[in-house]
Amino acid sequence: MILTVTMNPSIDTRYKLESLIIDDVNRAIAQRTPGGKGLNVARVLSQLGDTVLATGLLGGYFGSYLAQCLDEEGIAHQFSEISGETRTCLSILHENKQTEILERGPEVTEAELQKFFLHFDLLAEQADVITISGSLPQGVPNSTYAELLRRSACVGCKQVLVDSSGLALEEILKAEVHPYLVKINLSEANALLRTQLEPTETKEIIKVLRTNEKLHDVPWVVVSLGSYGCVATHNDMAYCAVPPVVEAVNATGSGDAMLAGFADGLAHSKDDVSILRTSVACGTLNAMDLKTGHIQIEKLKNMKRAIQVSCL
């Protein structure tokens, strides 16, 4: 079973407009989906046919609505309840642009966090792979993901995949227990490594990853490069995986779809190249789909064949 953790889920509401008129009325039809990086991962894993369970924190009316939406999608979930209201995030598509308004999320008490930790322990015992991704809500310390890593190790789950950034990622990389995989995008990598690398500088990115002490003990390190695919290190190996040129209509969630591909490959003990093909194929197919965290599964086989993987 693959367990996905979303500490700060949301109701993602999308408005598509011909143009956004400031300081005037804009009429649109809303499209609402359960959001948050971990839920995007869970949705793609479900499409891939994996046994997946979503967990995290939910609260209030919107939390109940989100759980109902997951039920309708057939995604199994066991969230820990909080008193605060699950957030709503807005995405406005207009004139080939995307404007996002993201709520910070509810305030989580110490008691609610400790309750979640105990809940997590029970679920992690049953997991073969765990993904942890997304932002942390208010009241939850930056060390929380590092604590989940420690707890995962205590119950015997060593394949923990992390998609985080900023202070939470810094805490993860300082922890005694290391994740099995860290996925970051190039902007996050440049912030972490204090570089200004471009997506075409694949060899330079690999060189920095290999020489950085913070990442030295992480078996898999993946840097997503948008339409350029990704570069990755796995122990002593280094790879570049490049997708074909496609017409992207919605890049949001592509990194989450990539993480789902890694989780799927690791859960089934696939080789490195197969894992990279699946991961980049999932990210590319998500970019071709208007729905976030969603792929056209019937196109997966051909897309995997089109992914070019090379050793660096």
Side-chain angles (χ1 to χ4, degrees), residues 171-210:
E171 291 289 335
I172 288 167
L173 297 178
K174 289 190 300 183
E176 292 184 7
V177 178
H178 304 288
Y180 189 70
L181 179 148
V182 166
K183 191 202 79 66
I184 48 180
N185 62 35
L186 185 57
S187 175
E188 293 163 345
N190 279 327
L192 175 69
L193 306 172
R194 293 175 173 79
T195 53
Q196 294 182 329
L197 294 166
E198 297 294 329
T200 55
E201 299 177 289
T202 52
K203 291 184 178 179
E204 290 78 3
I205 297 171
I206 291 295
K207 182 179 179 180
V208 173
L209 294 181
R210 281 178 160 167

Side-chain angles (χ1 to χ4, degrees), residues 106-170:
E107 184 84 31
V108 178
T109 67
E110 177 63 23
E112 289 170 335
L113 181 58
Q114 293 303 320
K115 176 186 173 185
F116 170 74
F117 283 150
L118 296 177
H119 175 73
F120 174 83
D121 291 345
L122 295 174
L123 300 181
E125 286 181 350
Q126 309 165 47
D128 302 302
V129 177
I130 299 173
T131 71
I132 302 172
S133 48
S135 64
L136 293 166
Q138 299 178 75
V140 175
N142 291 316
S143 60
T144 297
Y145 288 161
E147 174 64 11
L148 294 183
L149 282 170
R150 186 188 70 80
R151 288 174 174 269
S152 300
C154 286
V155 299
C157 185
K158 297 180 179 180
Q159 293 193 120
V160 182
L161 287 52
V162 175
D163 182 354
S164 186
S165 60
L167 294 175
L169 179 58
E170 294 278 1

Side-chain angles (χ1 to χ4, degrees), residues 9-309:
S10 64
I11 302 296
D12 284 355
T13 302
R14 176 194 303 260
Y15 298 140
K16 189 173 183 181
L17 304 170
E18 290 295 327
S19 61
L20 178 62
I21 306 173
I22 304 300
D23 199 27
D24 204 345
V25 174
N26 294 268
R27 300 189 186 279
I29 297 175
Q31 179 187 25
R32 296 183 177 86
T33 56
K37 294 177 73 64
L39 294 185
N40 293 335
V41 174
R43 187 177 296 111
V44 174
L45 284 170
S46 180
Q47 288 188 273
L48 292 173
D50 290 292
T51 300
V52 60
L53 181 67
T55 192
L57 302 172
L58 283 185
Y61 171 82
F62 289 121
S64 297
Y65 174 70
L66 189 150
Q68 178 185 330
C69 290
L70 290 176
D71 289 338
E72 292 172 356
E73 290 189 46
I75 298 174
H77 57 88
Q78 292 184 32
F79 284 86
S80 186
E81 188 174 349
I82 59 174
S83 58
E85 189 73 47
T86 292
R87 63 183 179 148
T88 297
C89 294
L90 301 180
S91 179
I92 305 170
L93 279 66
H94 57 102
E95 302 149 309
N96 295 319
K97 301 175 183 177
Q98 184 164 317
T99 301
E100 295 185 340
I101 303 172
L102 310 180
E103 292 184 7
R104 290 183 62 188
E107 184 84 31
V108 178
T109 67
E110 177 63 23
E112 289 170 335
L113 181 58
Q114 293 303 320
K115 176 186 173 185
F116 170 74
F117 283 150
L118 296 177
H119 175 73
F120 174 83
D121 291 345
L122 295 174
L123 300 181
E125 286 181 350
Q126 309 165 47
D128 302 302
V129 177
I130 299 173
T131 71
I132 302 172
S133 48
S135 64
L136 293 166
Q138 299 178 75
V140 175
N142 291 316
S143 60
T144 297
Y145 288 161
E147 174 64 11
L148 294 183
L149 282 170
R150 186 188 70 80
R151 288 174 174 269
S152 300
C154 286
V155 299
C157 185
K158 297 180 179 180
Q159 293 193 120
V160 182
L161 287 52
V162 175
D163 182 354
S164 186
S165 60
L167 294 175
L169 179 58
E170 294 278 1
E171 291 289 335
I172 288 167
L173 297 178
K174 289 190 300 183
E176 292 184 7
V177 178
H178 304 288
Y180 189 70
L181 179 148
V182 166
K183 191 202 79 66
I184 48 180
N185 62 35
L186 185 57
S187 175
E188 293 163 345
N190 279 327
L192 175 69
L193 306 172
R194 293 175 173 79
T195 53
Q196 294 182 329
L197 294 166
E198 297 294 329
T200 55
E201 299 177 289
T202 52
K203 291 184 178 179
E204 290 78 3
I205 297 171
I206 291 295
K207 182 179 179 180
V208 173
L209 294 181
R210 281 178 160 167
T211 57
N212 187 268
E213 292 184 1
K214 296 178 181 178
L215 299 168
H216 183 265
D217 295 315
V218 181
W220 272 99
V221 180
V222 182
V223 179
S224 58
L225 305 172
S227 62
Y228 292 89
C230 77
V231 294
T233 59
H234 181 207
N235 295 327
D236 295 331
M237 299 298 295
Y239 304 96
C240 178
V242 182
V245 176
V246 299
E247 183 178 352
V249 295
N250 174 31
T252 304
S254 288
D256 307 326
M258 283 186 65
L259 190 65
F262 276 102
D264 170 83
L266 293 170
H268 296 285
S269 302
K270 295 179 181 177
D271 62 86
D272 289 4
V273 172
S274 295
I275 291 173
L276 286 161
R277 288 187 189 280
T278 300
S279 177
V280 175
C282 286
T284 304
L285 288 173
N286 177 88
M288 297 168 64
D289 199 306
L290 285 172
K291 187 174 181 180
T292 300
H294 190 271
I295 64 174
Q296 295 184 46
I297 194 68
E298 68 276 5
K299 295 183 178 180
L300 180 61
K301 187 175 181 179
N302 286 337
M303 182 59 73
K304 285 197 291 186
R305 289 174 177 167
I307 306 300
Q308 300 297 316
V309 179

